């Protein structure tokens, strides 16, 4: 199994940027597709982005396309989410997740992911 820990959240003004990180340990990182999910108070969990195990395939939900960029550094066992042009509706707890034994692609379907982090809070004001 793999353990994942998120970091990098915080409070920013609309239009600002944050970079989230997710560091994995415990197993071979490049055997896992990785995803970012978020959940705002009173709302269901939403898939944001995912990246295949090699980094060759990425997916973004429509609301973040052109603003967010997912990447991974397999040498550092780390996943990133660069968030630019942040909007108040991006406010949520952001979770990193790992999909065991994934193929060459990925999907932001929560049931596919085996391991989850504890989350990092992103708050966008105004």
């Amino acid at each position: 199994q793999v353990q994942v820990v998120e970091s990098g959240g915080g409070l920013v003004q609309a239009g600002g940027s944050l970079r989230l990180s997710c560091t994995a340990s415990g197993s071979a990182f490049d055997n896992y597709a990785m995803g970012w999910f978020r959940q705002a108070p009173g709302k269901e969990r939403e898939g944001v982005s995912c990246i295949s195990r090699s980094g060759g395939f990425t997916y973004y939900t429509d609301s973040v396309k052109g603003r967010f960029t997912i990447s991974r550094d397999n040498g550092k066992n780390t996943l990133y989410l660069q968030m630019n042009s942040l909007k108040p509706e991006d406010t949520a707890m952001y979770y990193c997740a790992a999909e065991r034994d994934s193929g060459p692609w990925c999907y932001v379907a929560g049931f596919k992911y085996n391991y989850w982090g504890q989350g990092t809070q992103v708050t966008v004001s105004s």
Side-chain angles (χ1 to χ4, degrees):
Q1 66 174 8
V2 64
Q3 295 79 47
V4 293
V5 179
E6 306 94 335
S7 63
L11 174 64
V12 298
Q13 294 185 6
S17 298
L18 283 173
R19 188 176 74 159
L20 306 184
S21 298
C22 171
T23 300
S25 63
S27 190
F29 182 64
D30 60 3
N31 285 346
Y32 295 83
M34 301 295 295
W36 287 102
F37 297 78
R38 65 187 181 187
Q39 187 168 23
K43 297 184 178 180
E44 295 184 351
R45 185 178 61 198
E46 174 189 23
V48 177
S49 183
C50 67
I51 187 167
S52 64
R53 60 192 182 191
S54 70
F57 176 86
T58 59
Y59 168 84
Y60 301 91
T61 194
D62 286 345
S63 63
V64 308
K65 287 180 180 177
R67 300 189 298 120
F68 290 11
T69 302
I70 191 170
S71 62
R72 65 192 296 164
D73 186 337
N74 287 348
K76 296 182 178 180
N77 288 358
T78 301
L79 172 75
Y80 303 98
L81 186 67
Q82 178 67 46
M83 304 186 295
N84 298 327
S85 301
L86 282 161
K87 303 175 180 179
E89 51 262 45
D90 296 317
T91 295
M93 185 74 74
Y94 282 71
Y95 298 91
C96 165
E99 181 190 359
R100 184 182 60 237
D101 296 327
S102 67
W105 301 301
C106 68
Y107 302 90
V108 287
F111 75 88
K112 295 178 66 67
Y113 291 81
N114 306 101
Y115 308 105
W116 294 79
Q118 297 303 303
T120 186
Q121 178 68 39
V122 172
T123 302
V124 184
S125 64
S126 78

